[in-house]
Amino acid sequence: MLSEKLFKLRKNSGLSQEQLAEQLHVSRQAISKWESGTAVPESEKLITISNYFGVSLDYLLKDGEEDKAKTADSTTEEKPKMIAGIIICIAGIVAMIIWGLLSIFSPEASNQIHGSSVIVVDGNGIVLMACVVAIIVGAGILLKGKKR
């Protein structure tokens, strides 16, 4: 139902009825009536709601199947971002492990990086920082995808 979809969209966006009312240029009471099913938005407001939340009018007005299609579309769009986040995290972890092993078994490689470093930071520190940044960026991408 339209009323349930409006409520869900508003809640998922973290908006109060008053905040959504301000965005749509209507009263808080109008939002309340729409969500309770005692009133229906005019066609112009339906278009505004559709644009604001990035959903189709079909999604708002049709029951059932469109609901499933929207969920499938949104998860399909998020998959590449999640995969990129996982790859970046894994790359950072693998690089950190390789660097650790290299430092243990070939300390001269670590000393070469330390000696040629423009920044006065231990060569191990630079590689370690790059690995940690890769892990944090990857995790950030994953978490951002989960919030939606």
PDB file of all heavy atoms in Angstrom, residues 47-69:
ATOM      1  N   ILE A  47       4.592  12.742  -7.699  1.00  0.00           N
ATOM      2  CA  ILE A  47       5.784  12.894  -8.542  1.00  0.00           C
ATOM      3  C   ILE A  47       6.941  13.445  -7.711  1.00  0.00           C
ATOM      4  O   ILE A  47       8.077  12.975  -7.802  1.00  0.00           O
ATOM      5  CB  ILE A  47       5.473  13.799  -9.765  1.00  0.00           C
ATOM      6  CG1 ILE A  47       4.492  13.086 -10.695  1.00  0.00           C
ATOM      7  CG2 ILE A  47       6.761  14.167 -10.500  1.00  0.00           C
ATOM      8  CD1 ILE A  47       3.917  13.967 -11.786  1.00  0.00           C
ATOM      9  N   THR A  48       6.648  14.427  -6.864  1.00  0.00           N
ATOM     10  CA  THR A  48       7.676  15.002  -5.994  1.00  0.00           C
ATOM     11  C   THR A  48       8.233  13.943  -5.044  1.00  0.00           C
ATOM     12  O   THR A  48       9.446  13.842  -4.844  1.00  0.00           O
ATOM     13  CB  THR A  48       7.094  16.189  -5.185  1.00  0.00           C
ATOM     14  OG1 THR A  48       6.559  17.147  -6.096  1.00  0.00           O
ATOM     15  CG2 THR A  48       8.155  16.835  -4.328  1.00  0.00           C
ATOM     16  N   ILE A  49       7.353  13.136  -4.461  1.00  0.00           N
ATOM     17  CA  ILE A  49       7.780  12.055  -3.547  1.00  0.00           C
ATOM     18  C   ILE A  49       8.646  11.054  -4.304  1.00  0.00           C
ATOM     19  O   ILE A  49       9.688  10.625  -3.819  1.00  0.00           O
ATOM     20  CB  ILE A  49       6.546  11.361  -2.927  1.00  0.00           C
ATOM     21  CG1 ILE A  49       5.820  12.319  -1.979  1.00  0.00           C
ATOM     22  CG2 ILE A  49       6.950  10.076  -2.215  1.00  0.00           C
ATOM     23  CD1 ILE A  49       4.425  11.857  -1.581  1.00  0.00           C
ATOM     24  N   SER A  50       8.202  10.689  -5.500  1.00  0.00           N
ATOM     25  CA  SER A  50       8.945   9.743  -6.338  1.00  0.00           C
ATOM     26  C   SER A  50      10.361  10.250  -6.606  1.00  0.00           C
ATOM     27  O   SER A  50      11.343   9.510  -6.460  1.00  0.00           O
ATOM     28  CB  SER A  50       8.190   9.538  -7.650  1.00  0.00           C
ATOM     29  OG  SER A  50       8.973   8.871  -8.598  1.00  0.00           O
ATOM     30  N   ASN A  51      10.469  11.508  -6.992  1.00  0.00           N
ATOM     31  CA  ASN A  51      11.784  12.101  -7.270  1.00  0.00           C
ATOM     32  C   ASN A  51      12.622  12.221  -6.009  1.00  0.00           C
ATOM     33  O   ASN A  51      13.828  11.960  -6.029  1.00  0.00           O
ATOM     34  CB  ASN A  51      11.624  13.478  -7.930  1.00  0.00           C
ATOM     35  CG  ASN A  51      11.079  13.380  -9.336  1.00  0.00           C
ATOM     36  OD1 ASN A  51      11.236  12.374 -10.010  1.00  0.00           O
ATOM     37  ND2 ASN A  51      10.415  14.429  -9.774  1.00  0.00           N
ATOM     38  N   TYR A  52      12.006  12.619  -4.911  1.00  0.00           N
ATOM     39  CA  TYR A  52      12.739  12.833  -3.664  1.00  0.00           C
ATOM     40  C   TYR A  52      13.377  11.534  -3.182  1.00  0.00           C
ATOM     41  O   TYR A  52      14.541  11.513  -2.777  1.00  0.00           O
ATOM     42  CB  TYR A  52      11.811  13.410  -2.589  1.00  0.00           C
ATOM     43  CG  TYR A  52      12.534  13.685  -1.298  1.00  0.00           C
ATOM     44  CD1 TYR A  52      13.315  14.825  -1.157  1.00  0.00           C
ATOM     45  CD2 TYR A  52      12.461  12.795  -0.235  1.00  0.00           C
ATOM     46  CE1 TYR A  52      14.005  15.074   0.013  1.00  0.00           C
ATOM     47  CE2 TYR A  52      13.149  13.037   0.938  1.00  0.00           C
ATOM     48  CZ  TYR A  52      13.910  14.182   1.064  1.00  0.00           C
ATOM     49  OH  TYR A  52      14.603  14.417   2.223  1.00  0.00           O
ATOM     50  N   PHE A  53      12.621  10.444  -3.204  1.00  0.00           N
ATOM     51  CA  PHE A  53      13.145   9.170  -2.703  1.00  0.00           C
ATOM     52  C   PHE A  53      13.820   8.329  -3.779  1.00  0.00           C
ATOM     53  O   PHE A  53      14.385   7.278  -3.491  1.00  0.00           O
ATOM     54  CB  PHE A  53      12.029   8.352  -2.042  1.00  0.00           C
ATOM     55  CG  PHE A  53      11.586   8.913  -0.717  1.00  0.00           C
ATOM     56  CD1 PHE A  53      10.322   9.446  -0.557  1.00  0.00           C
ATOM     57  CD2 PHE A  53      12.441   8.902   0.375  1.00  0.00           C
ATOM     58  CE1 PHE A  53       9.909   9.959   0.668  1.00  0.00           C
ATOM     59  CE2 PHE A  53      12.046   9.417   1.599  1.00  0.00           C
ATOM     60  CZ  PHE A  53      10.780   9.952   1.746  1.00  0.00           C
ATOM     61  N   GLY A  54      13.756   8.766  -5.037  1.00  0.00           N
ATOM     62  CA  GLY A  54      14.397   8.020  -6.115  1.00  0.00           C
ATOM     63  C   GLY A  54      13.710   6.703  -6.420  1.00  0.00           C
ATOM     64  O   GLY A  54      14.369   5.700  -6.698  1.00  0.00           O
ATOM     65  N   VAL A  55      12.393   6.697  -6.334  1.00  0.00           N
ATOM     66  CA  VAL A  55      11.621   5.494  -6.660  1.00  0.00           C
ATOM     67  C   VAL A  55      10.652   5.834  -7.788  1.00  0.00           C
ATOM     68  O   VAL A  55      10.363   7.004  -8.047  1.00  0.00           O
ATOM     69  CB  VAL A  55      10.844   4.965  -5.424  1.00  0.00           C
ATOM     70  CG1 VAL A  55      11.794   4.526  -4.332  1.00  0.00           C
ATOM     71  CG2 VAL A  55       9.851   5.983  -4.904  1.00  0.00           C
ATOM     72  N   SER A  56      10.154   4.806  -8.440  1.00  0.00           N
ATOM     73  CA  SER A  56       9.218   5.037  -9.543  1.00  0.00           C
ATOM     74  C   SER A  56       7.804   5.249  -9.008  1.00  0.00           C
ATOM     75  O   SER A  56       7.475   4.846  -7.884  1.00  0.00           O
ATOM     76  CB  SER A  56       9.233   3.845 -10.502  1.00  0.00           C
ATOM     77  OG  SER A  56       8.673   2.711  -9.864  1.00  0.00           O
ATOM     78  N   LEU A  57       6.972   5.862  -9.849  1.00  0.00           N
ATOM     79  CA  LEU A  57       5.556   5.995  -9.491  1.00  0.00           C
ATOM     80  C   LEU A  57       4.906   4.618  -9.412  1.00  0.00           C
ATOM     81  O   LEU A  57       4.029   4.395  -8.571  1.00  0.00           O
ATOM     82  CB  LEU A  57       4.830   6.878 -10.508  1.00  0.00           C
ATOM     83  CG  LEU A  57       5.154   8.374 -10.428  1.00  0.00           C
ATOM     84  CD1 LEU A  57       4.533   9.118 -11.603  1.00  0.00           C
ATOM     85  CD2 LEU A  57       4.691   8.959  -9.116  1.00  0.00           C
ATOM     86  N   ASP A  58       5.341   3.708 -10.273  1.00  0.00           N
ATOM     87  CA  ASP A  58       4.828   2.334 -10.212  1.00  0.00           C
ATOM     88  C   ASP A  58       5.084   1.733  -8.839  1.00  0.00           C
ATOM     89  O   ASP A  58       4.211   1.096  -8.257  1.00  0.00           O
ATOM     90  CB  ASP A  58       5.483   1.453 -11.277  1.00  0.00           C
ATOM     91  CG  ASP A  58       4.897   1.660 -12.654  1.00  0.00           C
ATOM     92  OD1 ASP A  58       3.837   2.310 -12.756  1.00  0.00           O
ATOM     93  OD2 ASP A  58       5.490   1.170 -13.628  1.00  0.00           O
ATOM     94  N   TYR A  59       6.273   1.936  -8.326  1.00  0.00           N
ATOM     95  CA  TYR A  59       6.599   1.400  -6.997  1.00  0.00           C
ATOM     96  C   TYR A  59       5.653   1.980  -5.948  1.00  0.00           C
ATOM     97  O   TYR A  59       5.150   1.258  -5.092  1.00  0.00           O
ATOM     98  CB  TYR A  59       8.052   1.706  -6.625  1.00  0.00           C
ATOM     99  CG  TYR A  59       8.343   1.404  -5.173  1.00  0.00           C
ATOM    100  CD1 TYR A  59       8.491   0.091  -4.734  1.00  0.00           C
ATOM    101  CD2 TYR A  59       8.426   2.436  -4.244  1.00  0.00           C
ATOM    102  CE1 TYR A  59       8.719  -0.180  -3.398  1.00  0.00           C
ATOM    103  CE2 TYR A  59       8.660   2.160  -2.906  1.00  0.00           C
ATOM    104  CZ  TYR A  59       8.808   0.858  -2.487  1.00  0.00           C
ATOM    105  OH  TYR A  59       9.028   0.570  -1.157  1.00  0.00           O
ATOM    106  N   LEU A  60       5.423   3.285  -6.022  1.00  0.00           N
ATOM    107  CA  LEU A  60       4.568   3.923  -5.024  1.00  0.00           C
ATOM    108  C   LEU A  60       3.108   3.464  -5.129  1.00  0.00           C
ATOM    109  O   LEU A  60       2.446   3.256  -4.115  1.00  0.00           O
ATOM    110  CB  LEU A  60       4.618   5.447  -5.161  1.00  0.00           C
ATOM    111  CG  LEU A  60       5.902   6.131  -4.728  1.00  0.00           C
ATOM    112  CD1 LEU A  60       5.853   7.621  -5.067  1.00  0.00           C
ATOM    113  CD2 LEU A  60       6.163   5.933  -3.242  1.00  0.00           C
ATOM    114  N   LEU A  61       2.619   3.304  -6.351  1.00  0.00           N
ATOM    115  CA  LEU A  61       1.190   3.093  -6.543  1.00  0.00           C
ATOM    116  C   LEU A  61       0.769   1.632  -6.681  1.00  0.00           C
ATOM    117  O   LEU A  61      -0.378   1.297  -6.393  1.00  0.00           O
ATOM    118  CB  LEU A  61       0.710   3.883  -7.758  1.00  0.00           C
ATOM    119  CG  LEU A  61       0.893   5.407  -7.637  1.00  0.00           C
ATOM    120  CD1 LEU A  61       0.545   6.085  -8.948  1.00  0.00           C
ATOM    121  CD2 LEU A  61       0.053   5.956  -6.494  1.00  0.00           C
ATOM    122  N   LYS A  62       1.661   0.773  -7.153  1.00  0.00           N
ATOM    123  CA  LYS A  62       1.292  -0.629  -7.354  1.00  0.00           C
ATOM    124  C   LYS A  62       1.668  -1.462  -6.137  1.00  0.00           C
ATOM    125  O   LYS A  62       2.697  -1.250  -5.517  1.00  0.00           O
ATOM    126  CB  LYS A  62       2.008  -1.202  -8.584  1.00  0.00           C
ATOM    127  CG  LYS A  62       1.504  -0.639  -9.888  1.00  0.00           C
ATOM    128  CD  LYS A  62       2.209  -1.305 -11.052  1.00  0.00           C
ATOM    129  CE  LYS A  62       1.734  -0.782 -12.375  1.00  0.00           C
ATOM    130  NZ  LYS A  62       2.459  -1.422 -13.492  1.00  0.00           N
ATOM    131  N   ASP A  63       0.840  -2.428  -5.844  1.00  0.00           N
ATOM    132  CA  ASP A  63       1.108  -3.337  -4.728  1.00  0.00           C
ATOM    133  C   ASP A  63       1.814  -4.588  -5.220  1.00  0.00           C
ATOM    134  O   ASP A  63       1.671  -4.990  -6.374  1.00  0.00           O
ATOM    135  CB  ASP A  63      -0.213  -3.756  -4.054  1.00  0.00           C
ATOM    136  CG  ASP A  63      -0.847  -2.610  -3.279  1.00  0.00           C
ATOM    137  OD1 ASP A  63      -0.112  -1.689  -2.883  1.00  0.00           O
ATOM    138  OD2 ASP A  63      -2.074  -2.641  -3.079  1.00  0.00           O
ATOM    139  N   GLY A  64       2.597  -5.198  -4.345  1.00  0.00           N
ATOM    140  CA  GLY A  64       3.142  -6.526  -4.602  1.00  0.00           C
ATOM    141  C   GLY A  64       4.424  -6.601  -5.378  1.00  0.00           C
ATOM    142  O   GLY A  64       5.489  -6.303  -4.874  1.00  0.00           O
ATOM    143  N   GLU A  65       4.330  -7.010  -6.638  1.00  0.00           N
ATOM    144  CA  GLU A  65       5.494  -7.376  -7.441  1.00  0.00           C
ATOM    145  C   GLU A  65       6.514  -6.252  -7.592  1.00  0.00           C
ATOM    146  O   GLU A  65       7.691  -6.492  -7.587  1.00  0.00           O
ATOM    147  CB  GLU A  65       5.055  -7.859  -8.830  1.00  0.00           C
ATOM    148  CG  GLU A  65       4.269  -9.142  -8.794  1.00  0.00           C
ATOM    149  CD  GLU A  65       5.005 -10.284  -8.115  1.00  0.00           C
ATOM    150  OE1 GLU A  65       6.193 -10.514  -8.437  1.00  0.00           O
ATOM    151  OE2 GLU A  65       4.408 -10.942  -7.252  1.00  0.00           O
ATOM    152  N   GLU A  66       6.048  -5.043  -7.736  1.00  0.00           N
ATOM    153  CA  GLU A  66       6.973  -3.917  -7.908  1.00  0.00           C
ATOM    154  C   GLU A  66       7.869  -3.770  -6.688  1.00  0.00           C
ATOM    155  O   GLU A  66       9.017  -3.394  -6.785  1.00  0.00           O
ATOM    156  CB  GLU A  66       6.185  -2.624  -8.154  1.00  0.00           C
ATOM    157  CG  GLU A  66       7.042  -1.413  -8.472  1.00  0.00           C
ATOM    158  CD  GLU A  66       7.789  -1.528  -9.783  1.00  0.00           C
ATOM    159  OE1 GLU A  66       7.328  -2.226 -10.680  1.00  0.00           O
ATOM    160  OE2 GLU A  66       8.860  -0.897  -9.908  1.00  0.00           O
ATOM    161  N   ASP A  67       7.320  -4.089  -5.522  1.00  0.00           N
ATOM    162  CA  ASP A  67       8.082  -4.034  -4.274  1.00  0.00           C
ATOM    163  C   ASP A  67       9.292  -4.965  -4.362  1.00  0.00           C
ATOM    164  O   ASP A  67      10.400  -4.589  -4.024  1.00  0.00           O
ATOM    165  CB  ASP A  67       7.164  -4.497  -3.132  1.00  0.00           C
ATOM    166  CG  ASP A  67       7.427  -3.759  -1.843  1.00  0.00           C
ATOM    167  OD1 ASP A  67       8.343  -2.919  -1.820  1.00  0.00           O
ATOM    168  OD2 ASP A  67       6.717  -4.033  -0.867  1.00  0.00           O
ATOM    169  N   LYS A  68       9.074  -6.176  -4.857  1.00  0.00           N
ATOM    170  CA  LYS A  68      10.161  -7.149  -4.998  1.00  0.00           C
ATOM    171  C   LYS A  68      11.167  -6.701  -6.040  1.00  0.00           C
ATOM    172  O   LYS A  68      12.366  -6.860  -5.872  1.00  0.00           O
ATOM    173  CB  LYS A  68       9.591  -8.519  -5.375  1.00  0.00           C
ATOM    174  CG  LYS A  68       8.735  -9.131  -4.305  1.00  0.00           C
ATOM    175  CD  LYS A  68       8.126 -10.424  -4.780  1.00  0.00           C
ATOM    176  CE  LYS A  68       7.145 -10.956  -3.759  1.00  0.00           C
ATOM    177  NZ  LYS A  68       6.376 -12.075  -4.270  1.00  0.00           N
ATOM    178  N   ALA A  69      10.681  -6.140  -7.153  1.00  0.00           N
ATOM    179  CA  ALA A  69      11.577  -5.703  -8.224  1.00  0.00           C
ATOM    180  C   ALA A  69      12.492  -4.591  -7.736  1.00  0.00           C
ATOM    181  O   ALA A  69      13.669  -4.569  -8.058  1.00  0.00           O
ATOM    182  CB  ALA A  69      10.768  -5.227  -9.428  1.00  0.00           C
TER     183      ALA A  69
END
